[in-house]
PDB file of all heavy atoms in Angstrom:
ATOM      1  N   ARG A 247      -7.781   1.304 -17.134  1.00 94.00           N
ATOM      2  CA  ARG A 247      -6.460   0.752 -16.824  1.00 94.00           C
ATOM      3  C   ARG A 247      -6.260   0.710 -15.321  1.00 94.00           C
ATOM      4  O   ARG A 247      -6.262   1.784 -14.647  1.00 94.00           O
ATOM      5  CB  ARG A 247      -5.415   1.639 -17.508  1.00 94.00           C
ATOM      6  CG  ARG A 247      -3.931   1.085 -17.358  1.00 94.00           C
ATOM      7  CD  ARG A 247      -3.023   1.829 -18.308  1.00 94.00           C
ATOM      8  NE  ARG A 247      -3.110   3.264 -18.155  1.00 94.00           N
ATOM      9  CZ  ARG A 247      -2.360   3.937 -17.270  1.00 94.00           C
ATOM     10  NH1 ARG A 247      -1.440   3.322 -16.551  1.00 94.00           N
ATOM     11  NH2 ARG A 247      -2.474   5.254 -17.193  1.00 94.00           N
ATOM     12  N   VAL A 248      -6.136  -0.428 -14.754  1.00 95.00           N
ATOM     13  CA  VAL A 248      -6.071  -0.647 -13.327  1.00 95.00           C
ATOM     14  C   VAL A 248      -4.679  -1.112 -12.896  1.00 95.00           C
ATOM     15  O   VAL A 248      -4.171  -2.076 -13.485  1.00 95.00           O
ATOM     16  CB  VAL A 248      -7.120  -1.653 -12.806  1.00 95.00           C
ATOM     17  CG1 VAL A 248      -7.062  -1.763 -11.283  1.00 95.00           C
ATOM     18  CG2 VAL A 248      -8.543  -1.137 -13.169  1.00 95.00           C
ATOM     19  N   GLU A 249      -4.055  -0.424 -11.957  1.00 95.00           N
ATOM     20  CA  GLU A 249      -2.788  -0.793 -11.420  1.00 95.00           C
ATOM     21  C   GLU A 249      -2.858  -0.961  -9.889  1.00 95.00           C
ATOM     22  O   GLU A 249      -3.693  -0.306  -9.291  1.00 95.00           O
ATOM     23  CB  GLU A 249      -1.727   0.208 -11.745  1.00 95.00           C
ATOM     24  CG  GLU A 249      -1.457   0.471 -13.278  1.00 95.00           C
ATOM     25  CD  GLU A 249      -0.457   1.613 -13.441  1.00 95.00           C
ATOM     26  OE1 GLU A 249       0.739   1.342 -13.441  1.00 95.00           O
ATOM     27  OE2 GLU A 249      -0.928   2.757 -13.559  1.00 95.00           O
ATOM     28  N   HIS A 250      -2.024  -1.756  -9.325  1.00 94.00           N
ATOM     29  CA  HIS A 250      -1.841  -1.856  -7.911  1.00 94.00           C
ATOM     30  C   HIS A 250      -0.420  -1.548  -7.526  1.00 94.00           C
ATOM     31  O   HIS A 250       0.483  -2.318  -7.793  1.00 94.00           O
ATOM     32  CB  HIS A 250      -2.242  -3.251  -7.436  1.00 94.00           C
ATOM     33  CG  HIS A 250      -3.700  -3.584  -7.684  1.00 94.00           C
ATOM     34  ND1 HIS A 250      -4.694  -3.342  -6.727  1.00 94.00           N
ATOM     35  CD2 HIS A 250      -4.338  -4.122  -8.741  1.00 94.00           C
ATOM     36  CE1 HIS A 250      -5.845  -3.706  -7.222  1.00 94.00           C
ATOM     37  NE2 HIS A 250      -5.646  -4.145  -8.407  1.00 94.00           N
ATOM     38  N   VAL A 251      -0.204  -0.325  -6.956  1.00 94.00           N
ATOM     39  CA  VAL A 251       1.118   0.179  -6.776  1.00 94.00           C
ATOM     40  C   VAL A 251       1.512  -0.034  -5.298  1.00 94.00           C
ATOM     41  O   VAL A 251       0.799   0.377  -4.385  1.00 94.00           O
ATOM     42  CB  VAL A 251       1.201   1.724  -7.080  1.00 94.00           C
ATOM     43  CG1 VAL A 251       2.595   2.241  -6.898  1.00 94.00           C
ATOM     44  CG2 VAL A 251       0.784   1.916  -8.550  1.00 94.00           C
ATOM     45  N   ALA A 252       2.619  -0.730  -5.055  1.00 92.00           N
ATOM     46  CA  ALA A 252       3.129  -0.942  -3.621  1.00 92.00           C
ATOM     47  C   ALA A 252       3.808   0.289  -3.179  1.00 92.00           C
ATOM     48  O   ALA A 252       4.637   0.905  -3.859  1.00 92.00           O
ATOM     49  CB  ALA A 252       4.088  -2.137  -3.692  1.00 92.00           C
ATOM     50  N   THR A 253       3.435   0.749  -1.918  1.00 90.00           N
ATOM     51  CA  THR A 253       4.109   1.839  -1.332  1.00 90.00           C
ATOM     52  C   THR A 253       4.019   1.674   0.204  1.00 90.00           C
ATOM     53  O   THR A 253       3.845   0.547   0.669  1.00 90.00           O
ATOM     54  CB  THR A 253       3.509   3.203  -1.793  1.00 90.00           C
ATOM     55  OG1 THR A 253       4.226   4.283  -1.160  1.00 90.00           O
ATOM     56  CG2 THR A 253       2.025   3.269  -1.436  1.00 90.00           C
ATOM     57  N   TYR A 254       4.259   2.745   0.963  1.00 85.00           N
ATOM     58  CA  TYR A 254       4.139   2.634   2.389  1.00 85.00           C
ATOM     59  C   TYR A 254       3.628   3.920   2.973  1.00 85.00           C
ATOM     60  O   TYR A 254       3.667   4.962   2.328  1.00 85.00           O
ATOM     61  CB  TYR A 254       5.459   2.271   3.041  1.00 85.00           C
ATOM     62  CG  TYR A 254       6.525   3.331   2.793  1.00 85.00           C
ATOM     63  CD1 TYR A 254       6.751   4.340   3.767  1.00 85.00           C
ATOM     64  CD2 TYR A 254       7.384   3.324   1.656  1.00 85.00           C
ATOM     65  CE1 TYR A 254       7.776   5.291   3.530  1.00 85.00           C
ATOM     66  CE2 TYR A 254       8.288   4.230   1.449  1.00 85.00           C
ATOM     67  CZ  TYR A 254       8.514   5.268   2.418  1.00 85.00           C
ATOM     68  OH  TYR A 254       9.442   6.180   2.222  1.00 85.00           O
ATOM     69  N   CYS A 255       3.088   3.912   4.173  1.00 83.00           N
ATOM     70  CA  CYS A 255       2.631   5.102   4.910  1.00 83.00           C
ATOM     71  C   CYS A 255       3.567   5.403   6.017  1.00 83.00           C
ATOM     72  O   CYS A 255       3.912   4.546   6.808  1.00 83.00           O
ATOM     73  CB  CYS A 255       1.196   4.808   5.493  1.00 83.00           C
ATOM     74  SG  CYS A 255       0.614   6.180   6.517  1.00 83.00           S
ATOM     75  N   TYR A 256       3.972   6.694   6.082  1.00 74.00           N
ATOM     76  CA  TYR A 256       4.825   7.155   7.201  1.00 74.00           C
ATOM     77  C   TYR A 256       4.228   8.441   7.683  1.00 74.00           C
ATOM     78  O   TYR A 256       4.921   9.423   7.933  1.00 74.00           O
ATOM     79  CB  TYR A 256       6.245   7.306   6.748  1.00 74.00           C
ATOM     80  CG  TYR A 256       7.260   6.865   7.770  1.00 74.00           C
ATOM     81  CD1 TYR A 256       8.477   6.382   7.473  1.00 74.00           C
ATOM     82  CD2 TYR A 256       6.971   6.930   9.140  1.00 74.00           C
ATOM     83  CE1 TYR A 256       9.520   6.006   8.378  1.00 74.00           C
ATOM     84  CE2 TYR A 256       7.949   6.529  10.115  1.00 74.00           C
ATOM     85  CZ  TYR A 256       9.098   6.064   9.699  1.00 74.00           C
ATOM     86  OH  TYR A 256      10.011   5.653  10.655  1.00 74.00           O
ATOM     87  N   GLN A 257       2.908   8.454   7.865  1.00 76.00           N
ATOM     88  CA  GLN A 257       2.238   9.660   8.360  1.00 76.00           C
ATOM     89  C   GLN A 257       2.564   9.899   9.784  1.00 76.00           C
ATOM     90  O   GLN A 257       2.333  11.025  10.331  1.00 76.00           O
ATOM     91  CB  GLN A 257       0.742   9.549   8.136  1.00 76.00           C
ATOM     92  CG  GLN A 257       0.273   9.471   6.682  1.00 76.00           C
ATOM     93  CD  GLN A 257       0.644  10.746   5.951  1.00 76.00           C
ATOM     94  OE1 GLN A 257       0.033  11.788   6.234  1.00 76.00           O
ATOM     95  NE2 GLN A 257       1.546  10.727   4.998  1.00 76.00           N
ATOM     96  N   CYS A 258       2.974   8.906  10.532  1.00 73.00           N
ATOM     97  CA  CYS A 258       3.362   9.025  11.957  1.00 73.00           C
ATOM     98  C   CYS A 258       4.450   8.026  12.230  1.00 73.00           C
ATOM     99  O   CYS A 258       4.792   7.195  11.431  1.00 73.00           O
ATOM    100  CB  CYS A 258       2.108   8.823  12.859  1.00 73.00           C
ATOM    101  SG  CYS A 258       1.567   7.113  12.987  1.00 73.00           S
ATOM    102  N   VAL A 259       4.987   8.115  13.470  1.00 67.00           N
ATOM    103  CA  VAL A 259       6.145   7.298  13.868  1.00 67.00           C
ATOM    104  C   VAL A 259       5.709   5.910  14.191  1.00 67.00           C
ATOM    105  O   VAL A 259       6.563   5.056  14.582  1.00 67.00           O
ATOM    106  CB  VAL A 259       6.917   7.916  15.007  1.00 67.00           C
ATOM    107  CG1 VAL A 259       7.548   9.228  14.514  1.00 67.00           C
ATOM    108  CG2 VAL A 259       5.983   8.206  16.198  1.00 67.00           C
ATOM    109  N   ALA A 260       4.348   5.564  14.082  1.00 70.00           N
ATOM    110  CA  ALA A 260       3.978   4.184  14.401  1.00 70.00           C
ATOM    111  C   ALA A 260       4.260   3.267  13.106  1.00 70.00           C
ATOM    112  O   ALA A 260       4.200   2.087  13.209  1.00 70.00           O
ATOM    113  CB  ALA A 260       2.492   4.103  14.680  1.00 70.00           C
ATOM    114  N   GLY A 261       4.537   3.910  11.985  1.00 68.00           N
ATOM    115  CA  GLY A 261       4.844   3.207  10.694  1.00 68.00           C
ATOM    116  C   GLY A 261       6.298   2.792  10.651  1.00 68.00           C
ATOM    117  O   GLY A 261       6.998   2.814  11.624  1.00 68.00           O
ATOM    118  N   PRO A 262       6.727   2.403   9.427  1.00 74.00           N
ATOM    119  CA  PRO A 262       5.973   2.477   8.114  1.00 74.00           C
ATOM    120  C   PRO A 262       5.043   1.307   8.018  1.00 74.00           C
ATOM    121  O   PRO A 262       5.393   0.179   8.273  1.00 74.00           O
ATOM    122  CB  PRO A 262       7.044   2.509   7.077  1.00 74.00           C
ATOM    123  CG  PRO A 262       8.181   1.746   7.661  1.00 74.00           C
ATOM    124  CD  PRO A 262       8.118   1.977   9.127  1.00 74.00           C
ATOM    125  N   ASP A 263       3.783   1.555   7.550  1.00 80.00           N
ATOM    126  CA  ASP A 263       2.860   0.546   7.214  1.00 80.00           C
ATOM    127  C   ASP A 263       2.944   0.254   5.693  1.00 80.00           C
ATOM    128  O   ASP A 263       2.863   1.180   4.854  1.00 80.00           O
ATOM    129  CB  ASP A 263       1.425   1.007   7.518  1.00 80.00           C
ATOM    130  CG  ASP A 263       1.121   0.890   9.019  1.00 80.00           C
ATOM    131  OD1 ASP A 263       2.006   0.358   9.735  1.00 80.00           O
ATOM    132  OD2 ASP A 263       0.102   1.327   9.444  1.00 80.00           O
ATOM    133  N   LEU A 264       3.112  -1.022   5.352  1.00 85.00           N
ATOM    134  CA  LEU A 264       3.165  -1.393   3.914  1.00 85.00           C
ATOM    135  C   LEU A 264       1.714  -1.325   3.395  1.00 85.00           C
ATOM    136  O   LEU A 264       0.804  -1.811   4.104  1.00 85.00           O
ATOM    137  CB  LEU A 264       3.776  -2.791   3.815  1.00 85.00           C
ATOM    138  CG  LEU A 264       5.103  -3.046   4.443  1.00 85.00           C
ATOM    139  CD1 LEU A 264       5.596  -4.407   4.175  1.00 85.00           C
ATOM    140  CD2 LEU A 264       6.135  -2.002   3.914  1.00 85.00           C
ATOM    141  N   LEU A 265       1.489  -0.881   2.219  1.00 89.00           N
ATOM    142  CA  LEU A 265       0.206  -0.800   1.626  1.00 89.00           C
ATOM    143  C   LEU A 265       0.310  -0.891   0.118  1.00 89.00           C
ATOM    144  O   LEU A 265       1.347  -0.734  -0.495  1.00 89.00           O
ATOM    145  CB  LEU A 265      -0.558   0.416   2.102  1.00 89.00           C
ATOM    146  CG  LEU A 265       0.095   1.794   1.866  1.00 89.00           C
ATOM    147  CD1 LEU A 265      -0.322   2.387   0.553  1.00 89.00           C
ATOM    148  CD2 LEU A 265      -0.280   2.682   3.010  1.00 89.00           C
ATOM    149  N   THR A 266      -0.836  -1.061  -0.492  1.00 92.00           N
ATOM    150  CA  THR A 266      -0.997  -1.086  -1.962  1.00 92.00           C
ATOM    151  C   THR A 266      -2.025  -0.088  -2.318  1.00 92.00           C
ATOM    152  O   THR A 266      -3.095  -0.064  -1.693  1.00 92.00           O
ATOM    153  CB  THR A 266      -1.365  -2.511  -2.472  1.00 92.00           C
ATOM    154  OG1 THR A 266      -0.383  -3.424  -2.062  1.00 92.00           O
ATOM    155  CG2 THR A 266      -1.469  -2.495  -4.034  1.00 92.00           C
ATOM    156  N   VAL A 267      -1.726   0.739  -3.322  1.00 94.00           N
ATOM    157  CA  VAL A 267      -2.723   1.725  -3.796  1.00 94.00           C
ATOM    158  C   VAL A 267      -3.314   1.296  -5.119  1.00 94.00           C
ATOM    159  O   VAL A 267      -2.575   1.011  -6.042  1.00 94.00           O
ATOM    160  CB  VAL A 267      -2.056   3.095  -3.957  1.00 94.00           C
ATOM    161  CG1 VAL A 267      -3.111   4.126  -4.469  1.00 94.00           C
ATOM    162  CG2 VAL A 267      -1.497   3.602  -2.582  1.00 94.00           C
ATOM    163  N   LYS A 268      -4.619   1.190  -5.219  1.00 95.00           N
ATOM    164  CA  LYS A 268      -5.320   0.879  -6.411  1.00 95.00           C
ATOM    165  C   LYS A 268      -5.418   2.159  -7.238  1.00 95.00           C
ATOM    166  O   LYS A 268      -5.986   3.147  -6.806  1.00 95.00           O
ATOM    167  CB  LYS A 268      -6.658   0.272  -6.129  1.00 95.00           C
ATOM    168  CG  LYS A 268      -7.425  -0.112  -7.397  1.00 95.00           C
ATOM    169  CD  LYS A 268      -8.814  -0.721  -7.002  1.00 95.00           C
ATOM    170  CE  LYS A 268      -9.561  -1.135  -8.330  1.00 95.00           C
ATOM    171  NZ  LYS A 268     -10.907  -1.688  -7.957  1.00 95.00           N
ATOM    172  N   VAL A 269      -4.909   2.127  -8.457  1.00 96.00           N
ATOM    173  CA  VAL A 269      -4.858   3.284  -9.353  1.00 96.00           C
ATOM    174  C   VAL A 269      -5.640   2.987 -10.621  1.00 96.00           C
ATOM    175  O   VAL A 269      -5.364   1.984 -11.316  1.00 96.00           O
ATOM    176  CB  VAL A 269      -3.434   3.688  -9.733  1.00 96.00           C
ATOM    177  CG1 VAL A 269      -3.457   4.943 -10.675  1.00 96.00           C
ATOM    178  CG2 VAL A 269      -2.556   3.897  -8.427  1.00 96.00           C
ATOM    179  N   VAL A 270      -6.707   3.701 -10.862  1.00 96.00           N
ATOM    180  CA  VAL A 270      -7.591   3.538 -12.042  1.00 96.00           C
ATOM    181  C   VAL A 270      -7.439   4.693 -12.983  1.00 96.00           C
ATOM    182  O   VAL A 270      -7.733   5.850 -12.636  1.00 96.00           O
ATOM    183  CB  VAL A 270      -9.076   3.394 -11.628  1.00 96.00           C
ATOM    184  CG1 VAL A 270      -9.963   3.217 -12.867  1.00 96.00           C
ATOM    185  CG2 VAL A 270      -9.253   2.221 -10.660  1.00 96.00           C
ATOM    186  N   ASP A 271      -6.884   4.395 -14.167  1.00 95.00           N
ATOM    187  CA  ASP A 271      -6.659   5.404 -15.204  1.00 95.00           C
ATOM    188  C   ASP A 271      -5.818   6.588 -14.557  1.00 95.00           C
ATOM    189  O   ASP A 271      -6.146   7.767 -14.802  1.00 95.00           O
ATOM    190  CB  ASP A 271      -7.931   5.937 -15.764  1.00 95.00           C
ATOM    191  CG  ASP A 271      -8.609   4.917 -16.668  1.00 95.00           C
ATOM    192  OD1 ASP A 271      -7.899   4.087 -17.210  1.00 95.00           O
ATOM    193  OD2 ASP A 271      -9.812   5.017 -16.852  1.00 95.00           O
ATOM    194  N   GLY A 272      -4.816   6.270 -13.844  1.00 94.00           N
ATOM    195  CA  GLY A 272      -3.894   7.276 -13.268  1.00 94.00           C
ATOM    196  C   GLY A 272      -4.423   7.915 -12.031  1.00 94.00           C
ATOM    197  O   GLY A 272      -3.759   8.833 -11.460  1.00 94.00           O
ATOM    198  N   VAL A 273      -5.542   7.508 -11.461  1.00 94.00           N
ATOM    199  CA  VAL A 273      -6.174   8.117 -10.265  1.00 94.00           C
ATOM    200  C   VAL A 273      -6.222   7.167  -9.138  1.00 94.00           C
ATOM    201  O   VAL A 273      -6.760   6.042  -9.353  1.00 94.00           O
ATOM    202  CB  VAL A 273      -7.524   8.724 -10.589  1.00 94.00           C
ATOM    203  CG1 VAL A 273      -8.172   9.297  -9.290  1.00 94.00           C
ATOM    204  CG2 VAL A 273      -7.555   9.724 -11.722  1.00 94.00           C
ATOM    205  N   ALA A 274      -5.643   7.510  -8.044  1.00 94.00           N
ATOM    206  CA  ALA A 274      -5.666   6.596  -6.837  1.00 94.00           C
ATOM    207  C   ALA A 274      -7.064   6.583  -6.369  1.00 94.00           C
ATOM    208  O   ALA A 274      -7.708   7.650  -6.087  1.00 94.00           O
ATOM    209  CB  ALA A 274      -4.728   7.110  -5.762  1.00 94.00           C
ATOM    210  N   THR A 275      -7.644   5.380  -6.166  1.00 94.00           N
ATOM    211  CA  THR A 275      -9.033   5.267  -5.756  1.00 94.00           C
ATOM    212  C   THR A 275      -9.169   4.626  -4.373  1.00 94.00           C
ATOM    213  O   THR A 275     -10.166   4.851  -3.724  1.00 94.00           O
ATOM    214  CB  THR A 275      -9.831   4.417  -6.799  1.00 94.00           C
ATOM    215  OG1 THR A 275      -9.203   3.113  -6.916  1.00 94.00           O
ATOM    216  CG2 THR A 275      -9.811   5.108  -8.134  1.00 94.00           C
ATOM    217  N   GLU A 276      -8.261   3.764  -3.941  1.00 93.00           N
ATOM    218  CA  GLU A 276      -8.383   3.121  -2.661  1.00 93.00           C
ATOM    219  C   GLU A 276      -7.084   2.557  -2.134  1.00 93.00           C
ATOM    220  O   GLU A 276      -6.171   2.378  -2.981  1.00 93.00           O
ATOM    221  CB  GLU A 276      -9.505   2.008  -2.664  1.00 93.00           C
ATOM    222  CG  GLU A 276      -9.192   0.910  -3.666  1.00 93.00           C
ATOM    223  CD  GLU A 276     -10.376  -0.073  -3.721  1.00 93.00           C
ATOM    224  OE1 GLU A 276     -10.347  -0.995  -2.826  1.00 93.00           O
ATOM    225  OE2 GLU A 276     -11.235   0.071  -4.630  1.00 93.00           O
ATOM    226  N   VAL A 277      -7.004   2.331  -0.868  1.00 92.00           N
ATOM    227  CA  VAL A 277      -5.867   1.763  -0.218  1.00 92.00           C
ATOM    228  C   VAL A 277      -6.165   0.359   0.188  1.00 92.00           C
ATOM    229  O   VAL A 277      -7.210   0.073   0.788  1.00 92.00           O
ATOM    230  CB  VAL A 277      -5.427   2.662   0.956  1.00 92.00           C
ATOM    231  CG1 VAL A 277      -4.351   1.980   1.848  1.00 92.00           C
ATOM    232  CG2 VAL A 277      -4.908   4.024   0.497  1.00 92.00           C
ATOM    233  N   GLU A 278      -5.203  -0.574  -0.047  1.00 91.00           N
ATOM    234  CA  GLU A 278      -5.370  -1.925   0.285  1.00 91.00           C
ATOM    235  C   GLU A 278      -4.173  -2.411   1.117  1.00 91.00           C
ATOM    236  O   GLU A 278      -3.092  -1.832   0.961  1.00 91.00           O
ATOM    237  CB  GLU A 278      -5.511  -2.834  -1.001  1.00 91.00           C
ATOM    238  CG  GLU A 278      -6.619  -2.401  -1.867  1.00 91.00           C
ATOM    239  CD  GLU A 278      -6.526  -3.079  -3.211  1.00 91.00           C
ATOM    240  OE1 GLU A 278      -5.375  -3.574  -3.598  1.00 91.00           O
ATOM    241  OE2 GLU A 278      -7.548  -3.135  -3.980  1.00 91.00           O
ATOM    242  N   PRO A 279      -4.327  -3.502   1.899  1.00 90.00           N
ATOM    243  CA  PRO A 279      -3.158  -4.021   2.603  1.00 90.00           C
ATOM    244  C   PRO A 279      -2.124  -4.622   1.606  1.00 90.00           C
ATOM    245  O   PRO A 279      -2.467  -4.890   0.470  1.00 90.00           O
ATOM    246  CB  PRO A 279      -3.761  -5.131   3.483  1.00 90.00           C
ATOM    247  CG  PRO A 279      -5.199  -4.813   3.552  1.00 90.00           C
ATOM    248  CD  PRO A 279      -5.542  -4.105   2.273  1.00 90.00           C
ATOM    249  N   ASN A 280      -0.948  -4.827   2.114  1.00 90.00           N
ATOM    250  CA  ASN A 280       0.137  -5.472   1.264  1.00 90.00           C
ATOM    251  C   ASN A 280       0.707  -6.620   2.125  1.00 90.00           C
ATOM    252  O   ASN A 280       1.422  -6.394   3.101  1.00 90.00           O
ATOM    253  CB  ASN A 280       1.158  -4.467   0.901  1.00 90.00           C
ATOM    254  CG  ASN A 280       2.229  -5.029   0.026  1.00 90.00           C
ATOM    255  OD1 ASN A 280       2.352  -6.286  -0.152  1.00 90.00           O
ATOM    256  ND2 ASN A 280       3.036  -4.214  -0.660  1.00 90.00           N
ATOM    257  N   PHE A 281       0.380  -7.806   1.785  1.00 90.00           N
ATOM    258  CA  PHE A 281       0.735  -9.014   2.570  1.00 90.00           C
ATOM    259  C   PHE A 281       2.088  -9.617   2.051  1.00 90.00           C
ATOM    260  O   PHE A 281       2.413 -10.692   2.506  1.00 90.00           O
ATOM    261  CB  PHE A 281      -0.318 -10.009   2.576  1.00 90.00           C
ATOM    262  CG  PHE A 281      -1.594  -9.526   3.267  1.00 90.00           C
ATOM    263  CD1 PHE A 281      -2.808  -9.279   2.523  1.00 90.00           C
ATOM    264  CD2 PHE A 281      -1.608  -9.271   4.642  1.00 90.00           C
ATOM    265  CE1 PHE A 281      -3.894  -8.864   3.129  1.00 90.00           C
ATOM    266  CE2 PHE A 281      -2.778  -8.834   5.249  1.00 90.00           C
ATOM    267  CZ  PHE A 281      -3.902  -8.636   4.521  1.00 90.00           C
ATOM    268  N   CYS A 282       2.761  -8.933   1.144  1.00 88.00           N
ATOM    269  CA  CYS A 282       3.956  -9.537   0.565  1.00 88.00           C
ATOM    270  C   CYS A 282       5.046  -9.796   1.644  1.00 88.00           C
ATOM    271  O   CYS A 282       5.782 -10.804   1.504  1.00 88.00           O
ATOM    272  CB  CYS A 282       4.523  -8.616  -0.555  1.00 88.00           C
ATOM    273  SG  CYS A 282       3.470  -8.489  -1.972  1.00 88.00           S
ATOM    274  N   ALA A 283       5.150  -8.948   2.591  1.00 82.00           N
ATOM    275  CA  ALA A 283       6.150  -9.086   3.656  1.00 82.00           C
ATOM    276  C   ALA A 283       5.516  -9.360   5.061  1.00 82.00           C
ATOM    277  O   ALA A 283       6.052  -8.990   6.053  1.00 82.00           O
ATOM    278  CB  ALA A 283       6.949  -7.839   3.723  1.00 82.00           C
ATOM    279  N   SER A 284       4.349 -10.026   4.997  1.00 86.00           N
ATOM    280  CA  SER A 284       3.650 -10.188   6.232  1.00 86.00           C
ATOM    281  C   SER A 284       4.376 -11.062   7.266  1.00 86.00           C
ATOM    282  O   SER A 284       4.136 -10.939   8.451  1.00 86.00           O
ATOM    283  CB  SER A 284       2.224 -10.835   5.972  1.00 86.00           C
ATOM    284  OG  SER A 284       2.395 -12.077   5.313  1.00 86.00           O
ATOM    285  N   GLU A 285       5.268 -11.922   6.786  1.00 88.00           N
ATOM    286  CA  GLU A 285       5.970 -12.808   7.673  1.00 88.00           C
ATOM    287  C   GLU A 285       6.985 -12.060   8.528  1.00 88.00           C
ATOM    288  O   GLU A 285       7.344 -12.441   9.648  1.00 88.00           O
ATOM    289  CB  GLU A 285       6.672 -13.913   6.909  1.00 88.00           C
ATOM    290  CG  GLU A 285       5.762 -14.831   6.135  1.00 88.00           C
ATOM    291  CD  GLU A 285       4.842 -15.602   7.076  1.00 88.00           C
ATOM    292  OE1 GLU A 285       5.351 -16.000   8.153  1.00 88.00           O
ATOM    293  OE2 GLU A 285       3.628 -15.782   6.766  1.00 88.00           O
ATOM    294  N   ILE A 286       7.507 -10.914   7.998  1.00 84.00           N
ATOM    295  CA  ILE A 286       8.540 -10.195   8.773  1.00 84.00           C
ATOM    296  C   ILE A 286       8.063  -8.800   9.245  1.00 84.00           C
ATOM    297  O   ILE A 286       8.737  -8.163  10.070  1.00 84.00           O
ATOM    298  CB  ILE A 286       9.792 -10.009   7.909  1.00 84.00           C
ATOM    299  CG1 ILE A 286       9.499  -9.204   6.585  1.00 84.00           C
ATOM    300  CG2 ILE A 286      10.411 -11.399   7.610  1.00 84.00           C
ATOM    301  CD1 ILE A 286      10.701  -8.886   5.808  1.00 84.00           C
ATOM    302  N   HIS A 287       6.920  -8.295   8.688  1.00 83.00           N
ATOM    303  CA  HIS A 287       6.460  -6.978   9.100  1.00 83.00           C
ATOM    304  C   HIS A 287       5.754  -7.046  10.466  1.00 83.00           C
ATOM    305  O   HIS A 287       4.920  -7.947  10.687  1.00 83.00           O
ATOM    306  CB  HIS A 287       5.498  -6.415   8.028  1.00 83.00           C
ATOM    307  CG  HIS A 287       5.029  -5.017   8.265  1.00 83.00           C
ATOM    308  ND1 HIS A 287       3.812  -4.712   8.768  1.00 83.00           N
ATOM    309  CD2 HIS A 287       5.680  -3.844   8.164  1.00 83.00           C
ATOM    310  CE1 HIS A 287       3.675  -3.410   8.903  1.00 83.00           C
ATOM    311  NE2 HIS A 287       4.802  -2.864   8.489  1.00 83.00           N
ATOM    312  N   PRO A 288       6.070  -6.083  11.395  1.00 81.00           N
ATOM    313  CA  PRO A 288       5.412  -6.153  12.745  1.00 81.00           C
ATOM    314  C   PRO A 288       3.924  -6.057  12.664  1.00 81.00           C
ATOM    315  O   PRO A 288       3.234  -6.603  13.555  1.00 81.00           O
ATOM    316  CB  PRO A 288       6.020  -4.892  13.415  1.00 81.00           C
ATOM    317  CG  PRO A 288       7.248  -4.592  12.698  1.00 81.00           C
ATOM    318  CD  PRO A 288       7.071  -5.014  11.248  1.00 81.00           C
ATOM    319  N   GLY A 289       3.339  -5.437  11.652  1.00 83.00           N
ATOM    320  CA  GLY A 289       1.883  -5.344  11.517  1.00 83.00           C
ATOM    321  C   GLY A 289       1.334  -6.441  10.606  1.00 83.00           C
ATOM    322  O   GLY A 289       0.154  -6.407  10.298  1.00 83.00           O
TER     323      GLY A 289
END
């Protein structure tokens, strides 16, 4: 069961960076970019 969960990173004050987490059978396996708001996001 594969999901792509939209979230953000605020590990430092350079964020927040929008990202998508790939979740396989309830386990996060990798981080991917999130281009849904690319037109307005500074990054």
